[in-house]
């Protein structure tokens, strides 16, 4: 059994660098399936989810080489990949669902195990299915698999998404680039990671208009060619460091961070009392006083990201004043609040809302990370808690944060990854 052991009280100061975004690179790896040959991706983070996706692609017949020191992944895709993604990998990595669109377009069939719910909520697939059906696919659920087939080439169509779902937008995008005719995805998600996927697809020869807007227009082409692409920096990791700097009244420079991808979150930190400087290749975040509490409402991009919500609950829990945090994307993302309460936080939830009353300090305790971002939020809380905080299940955090402990130590935190027996 492992845990992050954190002794609270350090002020974080120094520099860290963020690599490519997890939520982009997993999709870029899936997009490689769209072309026979070798696609090369740069700035690939060394995190568990990338290893899972590499394993999935290998099982689909690809040769995947991850050169960790150069942060490069090359994916050699055969003429006809296999089309089945089994449950043992899909359960570890929900982004496996992103192979559905590319496999359907390339192979004529995709069998992807249903990922099921996870610790942050039910996470439906209805928009993925309805969209693919509009493009001419037949989709059925059988023995725990989502099976999508097409009799002939997919055809262009207009798809109106009920909600700007990141995953559905990506699957439809990746299916439609090889469809016959024009596809319009209306109410599309427009996260920077989607813009990044569009960037790779354009380099592969796809024709996409409206990149970065909520209406994507795709003119299908007969085939795509492999390409080389540098992954967009991880705004969520960068945002986590920015919150950590503010909470610890520190001074942290985050190299390779894109301030333009974090506008609302950085504005919230400024309102909380931080000083944020935009640098040529990153951001510097400083804070000299106890932060002020700030209200937060999660929404699809460019709204406030749900993946920074736990970190802002942690910030508000030691801030001056009280704040309302509203979660609109994942119904179970407030489950981690119980762990915050174990640390002495004053947080009360009611449906979508969490009322956080800031306290002078938190009190170190053993807590459990249920997902990546909850884990990050708990680590931040541990940094400002009195005494020792143990964050169990650290592997969740490993899924999204490369070298988290090493970076924290470099910034001056007293943090270690420890093995503990059940009774410790
Ligand atoms: N939804 C449906 N039906 C669908 C699709 C989505 O009901 O067909 C619902 C979901 O259940 C959820 C909401 O719509 O309540 C948002 O889902 P979305 O499809 O936008 O999210 P996702 O693609 O499953 C990605 C990220 C998440 C991030 C969300 C929102 C990846 C691998 N995951 O998930 O990241 O929170 O977008 O921005 O890209 C994380 O990194 O920790 C993480 C959970």
């Amino acid at each position: 059994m492992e845990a992050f052991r954190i002794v609270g009280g350090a002020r974080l100061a120094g520099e860290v660098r963020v690599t490519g975004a997890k939520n982009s690179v997993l999709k870029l790896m899936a997009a490689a399936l769209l072309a026979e040959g070798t696609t090369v991706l740069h700035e690939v983070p060394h995190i568990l989810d990338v290893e899972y996706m590499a394993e999935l692609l290998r099982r689909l017949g690809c040769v995947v080489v991850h050169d960790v020191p150069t942060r490069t992944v090359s994916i050699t895709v055969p003429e006809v990949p296999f089309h089945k993604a089994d449950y043992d990998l899909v359960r570890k990595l929900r982004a496996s669902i992103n192979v559905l669109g590319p496999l359907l377009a390339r192979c004529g069939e995709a069998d992807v195990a249903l990922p099921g719910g996870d610790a942050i909520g039910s996470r439906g697939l209805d928009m993925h299915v309805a969209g693919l059906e509009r493009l001419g696919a037949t989709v059925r659920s059988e023995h725990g698999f989502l099976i999508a087939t097409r009799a002939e080439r997919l055809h262009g169509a207009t798809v109106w998404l009920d909600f700007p779902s990141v995953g559905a937008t990506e699957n439809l995008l990746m299916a439609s680039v090889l469809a016959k005719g024009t596809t319009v995805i209306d109410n599309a998600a427009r996260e920077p990671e989607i813009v990044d996927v569009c960037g790779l697809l354009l380099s592969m020869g796809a024709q996409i208009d409206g990149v970065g807007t909520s209406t994507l227009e795709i003119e299908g082409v007969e085939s795509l060619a492999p390409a080389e692409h540098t992954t967009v920096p991880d705004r969520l990791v960068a945002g986590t460091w920015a919150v950590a700097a503010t909470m610890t009244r520190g001074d942290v420079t985050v190299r390779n961070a894109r301030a333009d991808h974090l506008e609302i979150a950085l504005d919230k930190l400024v309102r909380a009392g931080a000083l944020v400087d935009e640098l040529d290749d990153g951001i510097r975040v400083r804070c000299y006083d106890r932060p002020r509490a700030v209200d937060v409402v999660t929404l699809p991009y460019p709204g406030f990201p749900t993946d920074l919500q736990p970190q802002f609950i942690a910030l508000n829990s030691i801030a001056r004043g009280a704040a309302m945090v509203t979660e609109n994307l994942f119904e179970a993302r407030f489950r981690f609040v119980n762990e915050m309460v174990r640390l002495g936080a004053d947080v009360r939830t009611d449906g979508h809302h969490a009322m956080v009353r800031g306290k002078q300090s938190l009190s170190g305790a053993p807590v459990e990370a249920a997902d990546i971002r909850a884990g990050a939020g708990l680590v931040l809380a541990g940094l400002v808690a009195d005494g020792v905080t143990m964050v169990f299940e650290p592997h969740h955090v490993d899924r999204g944060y490369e070298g988290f402990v090493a970076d924290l130590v470099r910034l001056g935190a007293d943090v270690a990854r420890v093995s503990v027996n059940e009774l410790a």
Side-chain angles (χ1 to χ4, degrees):
M1 205 181 189
E2 290 199 314
F4 294 130
R5 181 180 189 279
I6 307 151
V7 182
R11 172 178 177 270
L12 298 193
E15 278 193 24
V16 285
R17 182 181 184 279
V18 292
T19 58
K22 165 184 88 76
N23 287 349
S24 187
V25 81
L26 300 173
K27 328 306 172 58
L28 298 173
M29 291 173 79
L33 287 166
L34 288 163
E36 183 187 351
T38 305
T39 285
V40 178
L41 304 175
H42 299 289
E43 281 295 339
V44 176
H46 184 37
I47 51 173
L48 263 181
D49 275 12
V50 166
E51 301 314 315
Y52 292 146
M53 186 54 109
E55 185 53 29
L56 174 58
L57 293 180
R58 286 186 193 109
R59 293 211 205 156
L60 296 173
C62 304
V63 175
V64 184
V65 179
H66 186 175
D67 187 52
V68 173
T70 59
R71 306 185 181 288
T72 303
V73 164
S74 68
I75 302 160
T76 305
V77 180
E79 186 184 349
V80 185
F82 303 128
H83 59 259
K84 193 165 179 179
D86 283 320
Y87 182 63
D88 62 329
L89 273 171
V90 173
R91 64 186 268 275
K92 291 184 185 153
L93 179 70
R94 189 183 152 93
S96 313
I97 200 68
N98 275 96
V99 300
L100 188 68
L103 286 180
L104 176 66
R106 274 300 300 294
C107 313
E109 176 165 349
D111 302 8
V112 180
L114 284 161
D118 63 22
I120 59 174
S122 63
R123 306 186 82 174
L125 292 173
D126 50 309
M127 286 181 266
H128 299 241
V129 172
L132 292 174
E133 284 174 344
R134 280 195 74 87
L135 300 183
T138 304
V139 188
R140 63 184 198 280
S141 164
E142 208 173 273
H143 304 303
F145 277 81
L146 202 61
I147 301 174
T149 54
R150 59 172 169 83
E152 47 196 38
R153 202 173 151 197
L154 294 172
H155 57 73
T158 297
V159 180
W160 294 272
L161 294 179
D162 293 345
F163 173 90
S165 151
V166 170
T169 302
E170 289 161 342
N171 252 329
L172 295 174
L173 190 57
M174 292 198 246
S176 61
V177 285
L178 288 178
K180 188 162 184 276
T182 310
T183 298
V184 176
I185 309 175
D186 211 355
N187 199 21
R190 49 196 168 122
E191 271 66 3
E193 294 77 23
I194 289 183
V195 173
D196 202 35
V197 171
C198 288
L200 172 63
L201 294 173
L202 289 167
S203 306
M204 294 170 88
Q207 292 184 20
I208 308 169
D209 271 344
V211 174
T213 75
S214 50
T215 306
L216 293 169
E217 190 170 322
I218 302 114
E219 192 61 45
V221 295
E222 292 273 344
S223 66
L224 295 171
E228 195 162 343
H229 182 84
T230 299
T231 315
V232 69
D234 199 313
R235 66 193 162 101
L236 305 168
V237 174
T240 302
W241 290 124
V243 179
T246 308
M247 286 176 68
T248 62
R249 305 185 205 183
D251 182 353
V252 176
T253 297
V254 190
R255 299 277 173 213
N256 201 33
R258 293 267 310 255
D260 57 328
H261 291 168
L262 274 169
E263 277 172 347
I264 291 197
L266 294 179
D267 181 58
K268 294 283 175 193
L269 293 180
V270 170
R271 287 167 196 240
L275 301 170
V276 177
D277 299 311
E278 200 172 327
L279 312 175
D280 285 346
D281 67 337
I283 52 174
R284 179 180 178 196
V285 181
R286 285 170 287 164
C287 192
Y288 297 110
D289 276 322
R290 183 176 168 201
R292 284 186 292 275
V294 281
D295 291 340
V296 159
V297 179
T298 70
L299 280 174
Y301 191 85
F304 184 92
T306 173
D307 294 326
L308 289 178
Q309 178 259 98
Q311 297 88 322
F312 270 75
I313 288 199
L315 179 139
N316 282 326
S317 68
I318 48 99
R320 266 179 290 139
M324 181 75 89
V325 174
T326 303
E327 171 59 53
N328 287 315
L329 277 88
F330 293 113
E331 74 271 10
R333 244 194 173 147
F334 281 150
R335 277 191 205 153
F336 104 107
V337 160
N338 294 332
E339 304 301 293
M340 286 296 301
V341 170
R342 288 184 59 74
L343 295 173
D346 182 351
V347 191
R348 249 185 269 171
T349 59
D350 184 4
H352 286 221
H353 306 289
M355 169 58 77
V356 191
R357 294 185 175 85
K359 293 176 83 168
Q360 277 286 352
S361 67
L362 299 176
S363 166
V367 289
E368 195 170 306
D371 72 85
I372 309 175
R373 312 300 168 188
L378 291 168
V379 170
L380 299 196
L383 290 175
V384 294
D386 283 341
V388 177
T389 296
M390 300 285 273
V391 180
F392 290 95
E393 309 287 350
H395 60 93
H396 286 294
V397 181
D398 298 340
R399 291 187 41 210
Y401 292 81
E402 176 184 316
F404 199 38
V405 169
D407 280 343
L408 282 164
V409 169
R410 189 171 315 117
L411 294 175
D414 186 347
V415 180
R417 194 187 183 97
V418 294
S419 285
V420 280
N421 68 42
E422 297 281 337
L423 296 174

